[in-house]
Amino acid sequence: MSDSSTTSTPLVEVTDLSVEFGDLRAVDGLSLTLEKGAALGLVGESGSGKSTVASALLALHRGTGARVSGAVRVAGVDVQAASDDELRRLRGGKAAMVFQDPLSSLDPYYAVGDQIAEVYRVHVKASRRAARARAVEVLDRVGIPDAARRARSRPHEFSGGMRQRALIAMALACEPDLLIADEPTTALDVTVQAQILDLLHTLREETGMGLLLVTHDVGVAAESVDEILVMRHGRAVEHGLVGTVLGAPAQAYTQELLGAVPRVDAPRTASEATEEVVLEASGLRREFGRGKRAFAAVDDVSLTIHRGETLGIVGESGSGKTTLGRMLVGLLEPTAGEIKPGGGVRPDVQMVFQDPASSLNPRRSVGESIADPLRARGMGVPPLERSREWGRDEGRIRGRVRELLERVGLEAAHYDRYPHEFSGGQRQRVGIARALAADPRVIVCDEPVSALDVTTQAQVVALLAELQRELGLALVFVAHDLAVVRQVSDRVAVMRRGRIVEYGPADEVYESPRDPYTKQLLAAVPALDPEVAARRRTARRQLTAV
């Protein structure tokens, strides 16, 4: 038998794909193939077109007004020419998709097991009993403990990682040939992210399914795929084996993308911290709930913050780091303990939030949002004049806001624009400008870059460092991303279950961690070297098996 007769048809074959939304060409002449059982990562910044490609594989643009051209074949189906019935059989049957936000992908009113069972019944025509049994089987397969009982739980009763496992279980119910995972770990802690990536790898080994992974995180791709296709402005920039592309990128854009990735083994340049204490917290405790249901989100936490330094606070979801940050700002009152100002004067403490879209009023211009602290505090006006003169002088307020917009890298003319007219990185710059308007000495940054791609993330981090140097700001940087925290921090506090388990200079904490939990967090950070990633995955498996 000749070689040509044994050549298998690719699982996915895309030829000259273009997708247009009005005047915007989101994908421009893209071609790719994915063989059966292989894994391909689509990597790029926000707006690169990678999620649009993923949606085109299942014809999810049909009926939206998008113009799609080119050829797309998935599991033997001509997606462009397929009827609605053929597409229904393809979606969930031969190819399944896992989305970034599992909470919005699951119906909040129905038990998770019932939702999985319904997908199975639609494609397999099984009885209700068989479908429920299948739901429990796949939930158990993706590592949901006590699957029979948890199948009766609703989505809000699951953690973020468990909800993502439930979505993967739903995708596996009909044993698809292809799994499309669109940013499946973006909102997850580093340890939960590692668990999900390990799960995807194990499922590929056990089922032989193909994987198309869409991600802006180069480290996630290195952990998970055989090949990488780097996208920019809807086009393929570079495509090759993951080790080759990440180890010796040929294109300048790929090199730029890799250069922006924060690394735990690259300590930052020391800031201009002083011995002056600007804020001190001692014995902080914050309880939620009452009686037997009460629990301490923060329990006996003490720390000091110096002028000009960055204190990183790192931990998983539920560790108490955000609650601590909100107490430092004054958004939450401690149940016990106290927060004392340095030098006897309470410094103004401001906050930059994780999601600038939800922290900005969509019905007000960004300029008006930045002006609020100026109107409330009368910043820049002598104390005796603040209450009346500054409040009436709209011209001075507008001028100050324009200065702040330019200071954070935006344009003065952006004053009258609304939040939806900005990108994620630009909205975060607006949030920083609003924090600066109150002339603070301390800014608490709560996951300020977790929703941004790596190049935008690097720009925001660089902006914060520049402002810190020029204004002598103290920063409290709250994050679950250990690599980003290493990049920005002078000292680091590691939190677990409301307590600080490790606290010290960043270099010491990262290079010589003492607490087992800190070591566990560091071991879960994605590695850019696929061979290192494989060794870490093996080590995690052995640890789990013990």
Side-chain angles (χ1 to χ4, degrees):
M1 187 176 292
S2 67
D3 289 343
S4 60
S5 62
T6 60
T7 301
S8 61
T9 303
L11 177 60
V12 176
E13 192 168 12
V14 175
T15 306
D16 199 25
L17 173 67
S18 292
V19 182
E20 296 177 338
F21 301 96
D23 295 332
L24 173 66
R25 177 165 285 197
V27 179
D28 188 6
L30 186 80
S31 298
L32 63 87
T33 58
L34 175 64
E35 301 297 330
K36 295 176 182 178
L40 171 67
L42 290 186
V43 177
E45 299 171 280
S46 298
S48 63
K50 57 189 186 297
S51 291
T52 304
V53 173
S55 296
L57 298 187
L58 297 181
L60 297 181
H61 300 302
R62 184 173 291 189
T64 66
R67 299 188 301 277
V68 182
S69 62
V72 178
R73 294 189 69 86
V74 177
V77 176
D78 184 341
V79 173
Q80 292 289 83
S83 66
D84 290 344
D85 285 341
E86 288 173 324
L87 285 179
R88 277 192 289 271
R89 289 193 293 272
L90 173 67
R91 298 167 181 166
K94 295 181 179 180
M97 194 164 185
V98 175
F99 295 92
Q100 176 175 349
D101 182 7
L103 194 57
S104 63
S105 303
L106 293 166
D107 193 315
Y109 293 102
Y110 294 95
V112 168
D114 290 343
Q115 296 184 57
I116 297 173
E118 183 62 23
V119 170
Y120 188 68
R121 289 188 67 211
V122 166
H123 288 282
V124 182
K125 309 301 181 186
S127 67
R128 291 183 183 275
R129 176 176 292 183
R132 284 195 294 268
R134 177 60 174 166
V136 171
E137 179 186 348
V138 291
L139 283 171
D140 180 70
R141 189 175 193 177
V142 298
I144 299 292
D146 196 5
R149 180 179 65 85
R150 296 313 302 267
R152 298 191 293 272
S153 300
R154 287 174 171 77
H156 74 273
E157 299 177 273
F158 278 28
S159 67
M162 287 179 67
R163 283 194 292 265
Q164 197 61 282
R165 287 175 184 268
L167 270 189
I168 294 172
M170 185 181 294
L172 291 175
C174 300
E175 299 183 347
D177 297 320
L178 171 67
L179 180 65
I180 303 168
D182 188 3
E183 300 279 9
T185 64
T186 295
L188 303 179
D189 300 321
V190 63
T191 51
V192 180
Q193 172 179 270
Q195 292 166 9
I196 296 298
L197 296 178
D198 289 350
L199 171 63
L200 291 175
H201 187 85
T202 300
L203 292 172
R204 280 184 57 214
E205 288 182 334
E206 293 177 353
T207 67
M209 69 178 182
L211 173 66
L212 181 77
L213 177 68
V214 176
T215 181
H216 69 265
D217 191 324
V218 181
V220 167
E223 291 269 344
S224 313
V225 300
D226 309 312
E227 296 184 10
I228 282 183
L229 191 154
V230 180
M231 291 189 65
R232 188 185 192 192
H233 303 324
R235 290 179 170 270
V237 173
E238 189 161 357
H239 183 194
L241 294 174
V242 61
T244 302
V245 173
L246 298 186
Q251 300 301 316
Y253 175 71
T254 310
Q255 295 168 9
E256 178 186 334
L257 203 61
L258 285 170
V261 177
R263 302 169 188 250
V264 293
D265 57 354
R268 64 164 276 177
T269 302
S271 65
E272 299 174 7
T274 70
E275 294 299 317
E276 178 187 352
V277 175
V278 291
L279 200 63
E280 184 176 3
S282 58
L284 290 185
R285 180 180 177 88
R286 174 67 194 201
E287 296 178 358
F288 292 96
R290 294 182 178 179
K292 294 181 179 180
R293 294 188 176 182
F295 74 97
V298 172
D299 186 11
D300 193 24
V301 166
S302 299
L303 49 81
T304 57
I305 302 167
H306 298 87
R307 184 176 185 270
E309 79 160 341
T310 299
L311 171 65
I313 300 178
V314 67
E316 297 174 287
S317 295
S319 63
K321 59 187 188 297
T322 292
T323 300
L324 174 59
R326 288 175 178 268
M327 283 194 287
L328 295 176
V329 174
L331 294 177
L332 288 174
E333 287 295 326
T335 305
E338 62 177 340
I339 300 172
K340 298 183 294 185
V345 179
R346 176 66 186 262
D348 193 29
V349 184
Q350 293 293 308
M351 196 165 201
V352 175
F353 296 91
Q354 176 177 357
D355 183 3
S358 63
S359 63
L360 294 170
N361 189 331
R363 298 187 178 185
R364 302 183 72 212
S365 73
V366 297
E368 287 300 295
S369 291
I370 296 170
D372 284 341
L374 295 172
R375 294 195 177 101
R377 297 172 180 257
M379 299 306 297
V381 176
L384 294 178
E385 304 175 19
R386 283 181 182 173
S387 61
R388 295 182 180 177
E389 180 182 335
W390 186 260
R392 289 197 303 263
D393 195 344
E394 289 298 311
R396 294 174 70 184
I397 291 175
R398 198 176 184 94
R400 176 60 177 152
V401 171
R402 288 182 171 182
E403 289 176 6
L404 288 167
L405 284 169
E406 291 179 341
R407 185 65 199 80
V408 298
L410 299 173
E411 297 176 17
H414 288 163
Y415 186 108
D416 296 310
R417 290 190 181 181
Y418 289 83
H420 72 272
E421 299 179 78
F422 293 87
S423 68
Q426 288 175 322
R427 283 195 292 264
Q428 199 56 288
R429 290 173 183 266
V430 171
I432 294 170
R434 183 176 57 181
L436 291 174
D439 194 21
R441 298 181 74 193
V442 182
I443 295 181
V444 176
C445 304
D446 186 14
E447 300 277 10
V449 297
S450 64
L452 306 177
D453 54 56
V454 289
T455 49
T456 308
Q457 188 179 89
Q459 292 164 6
V460 172
V461 166
L463 171 62
L464 287 170
E466 180 183 339
L467 293 170
Q468 182 180 47
R469 287 192 301 270
E470 293 186 5
L471 304 176
L473 294 170
L475 299 179
V476 178
F477 201 96
V478 179
H480 68 263
D481 189 326
L482 276 78
V484 173
V485 171
R486 174 65 182 270
Q487 182 181 354
V488 303
S489 301
D490 301 296
R491 288 183 300 133
V492 172
V494 181
M495 292 192 69
R496 187 187 192 195
R497 297 173 183 169
R499 289 179 169 268
I500 292 179
V501 298
E502 192 150 355
Y503 185 34
D507 289 349
E508 290 183 13
V509 171
Y510 277 78
E511 294 170 11
S512 304
R514 298 185 303 274
D515 191 87
Y517 177 68
T518 308
K519 295 176 182 178
Q520 178 186 343
L521 288 178
L522 290 170
V525 176
L528 290 178
D529 185 335
E531 293 184 3
V532 174
R535 289 197 297 270
R536 287 185 178 181
R537 183 166 51 244
T538 300
R540 288 194 294 265
R541 281 181 178 176
Q542 292 172 345
L543 187 62
T544 304
V546 173

